[in-house]
Amino acid sequence: MSNADLTSILFLLLLLVGLAHLLGYLFVKLRQPKVVGEILAGVVLGPALIGRFSVASRLTEAANHQGNTLNFIYWLGLLLLMFLSGAETRQLFTRDERREVGWLAIVGTGIPFLLALLFGPWLVRPQLAGPNGNRISLIIILAVGVAVTSVPVVSKIFADLKILHTRFARLVLGVAVLEDIALWLALALATAMAGTTVLNPRQMTYHLVTTIVFFALGLTLLPRIVKRINKSRFNVFARNSPVAYAMSVLLAYCVLAGLLDVSVVFAAFLAGFAWSTRNANYLRMLSTPLERFPSPSSSPYTLPSWD
């Protein structure tokens, strides 16, 4: 990478992080979620606003030229955010919370999904059904869009409000993760019904089974394994460099999920959940520098809205 390319990347990051934090601060003063201001920063700097002016053509060209680097920063920030969210969530559900989990799943996902399926035929016109004319698949996608929950955005809002450790946040995040798994199945079915060659029934079954198994192991067996490794007297890595060790746990989970073709976002959340079994002092050592570092908190929202 040349000095000019590095300077271009640093300049883009300066604009992104600076404007994201500025607008985030203004939205906090207006008693609105900080993440909304961070998203708005990407809209302002992107082609929707500044990008329309010829003066900003060089900025747009630089962003397109460094697209791979910016995408990496986006994914790194998203994984770190989900890791910290999982680390702050001690237990997703307990036996005493099954009733609340059921109600949240029904009200938050089930009812909106069914209503979208019910009114979808009146909303989806035949000309929108694509080359194969499959309206059913488009109606299912519409229902998924209505019912889906953005786990990263919810996590960021809870983190800004400093309530990630509460029972309320634990319930909402836990149900949201389960909802996303169920809605992914509906989306996979809709994709297959649309006649695309991306997914077939065997692939859909594999994705669903591996995701559920990985999620179940990530809540039960894997945290116990990580806890034993953490307490091992031979694990000098964890004692001498806890932040680097936490990053290793995060990367190991993500690599394993990638090999199984499971969402790395879920993997990062489960890695943080396993890490939360460590001593609270180590968690503070990890979360404090990452939460103060600007890019992980703003890049997951600013960069996509830039596009």
Side-chain angles (χ1 to χ4, degrees):
M1 179 180 293
S2 65
N3 184 67
D5 291 336
L6 180 59
T7 303
S8 176
I9 294 174
L10 294 177
F11 177 68
L12 292 173
L13 290 178
L14 175 63
L15 289 178
L16 284 170
V17 175
L19 187 60
H21 278 264
L22 175 61
L23 294 181
Y25 172 79
L26 293 177
F27 270 76
V28 170
K29 289 297 183 181
L30 295 174
R31 297 184 178 180
Q32 298 298 317
K34 182 180 179 181
V35 66
V36 179
E38 295 173 350
I39 295 175
L40 183 60
V43 175
V44 172
L45 293 175
L49 191 59
I50 292 182
R52 293 182 176 272
F53 299 98
S54 57
V55 180
S57 59
R58 296 188 62 181
L59 177 63
T60 305
E61 293 176 0
N64 293 332
H65 182 66
Q66 305 296 342
N68 292 333
T69 303
L70 294 177
N71 285 334
F72 171 77
I73 295 173
Y74 156 69
W75 279 105
L76 178 61
L78 180 58
L79 295 179
L80 289 173
L81 172 65
M82 294 307 298
F83 182 83
L84 291 178
S85 299
E88 290 287 350
T89 306
R90 296 296 185 271
Q91 293 179 344
L92 292 183
F93 332 103
T94 62
R95 293 182 179 180
D96 299 333
E97 296 171 346
R98 290 178 179 177
R99 179 179 299 179
E100 290 82 356
V101 170
W103 275 109
L104 284 173
I106 292 173
V107 176
T109 299
I111 294 178
F113 186 81
L114 293 177
L115 289 177
L117 290 179
L118 179 63
F119 293 103
W122 286 273
L123 299 175
V124 177
R125 298 181 179 181
Q127 57 267 30
L128 300 176
N132 294 328
N134 194 325
R135 295 180 63 196
I136 298 179
S137 62
L138 187 56
I139 292 172
I140 295 176
I141 292 175
L142 174 65
V144 171
V146 171
V148 71
T149 304
S150 178
V151 178
V153 174
V154 174
S155 300
K156 183 61 169 63
I157 293 176
F158 287 165
D160 291 339
L161 296 176
K162 302 185 185 303
I163 60 172
L164 266 175
H165 61 282
T166 62
R167 178 174 178 267
F168 170 76
R170 183 175 68 247
L171 285 174
V172 173
L173 283 177
V175 174
V177 172
L178 293 179
E179 289 173 349
D180 280 1
I181 294 175
L183 293 176
W184 184 93
L185 173 61
L187 182 61
L189 291 173
T191 305
M193 293 174 60
T196 63
T197 58
V198 177
L199 289 176
N200 56 44
R202 181 175 298 179
Q203 288 176 326
M204 283 193 307
T205 304
Y206 172 80
H207 279 285
L208 177 63
V209 172
T210 53
T211 300
I212 293 177
V213 171
F214 188 85
F215 186 75
L217 292 177
L219 294 178
T220 56
L221 181 61
L222 292 179
R224 296 179 182 178
I225 296 176
V226 172
K227 185 177 181 179
R228 287 194 175 186
I229 297 175
N230 293 339
K231 292 183 176 181
S232 173
R233 61 177 182 175
F234 301 104
N235 192 353
V236 295
F237 189 22
R239 293 193 297 271
N240 296 329
S241 184
V243 174
Y245 176 69
M247 291 296 297
S248 299
V249 173
L250 168 62
L251 295 177
Y253 264 74
C254 292
V255 169
L256 179 60
L259 293 176
L260 298 174
D261 206 9
V262 176
S263 172
V264 294
V265 177
F266 285 150
F269 183 88
L270 293 175
F273 180 79
W275 174 265
S276 67
T277 59
R278 284 185 57 80
N279 188 282
N281 293 329
Y282 286 102
L283 177 59
R284 284 192 292 269
M285 291 176 63
L286 169 67
S287 60
T288 300
L290 292 182
E291 288 175 347
R292 291 179 178 177
F293 185 68
S295 294
S297 63
S298 59
S299 61
Y301 315 102
T302 308
L303 292 176
S305 56
W306 184 328
D307 295 334

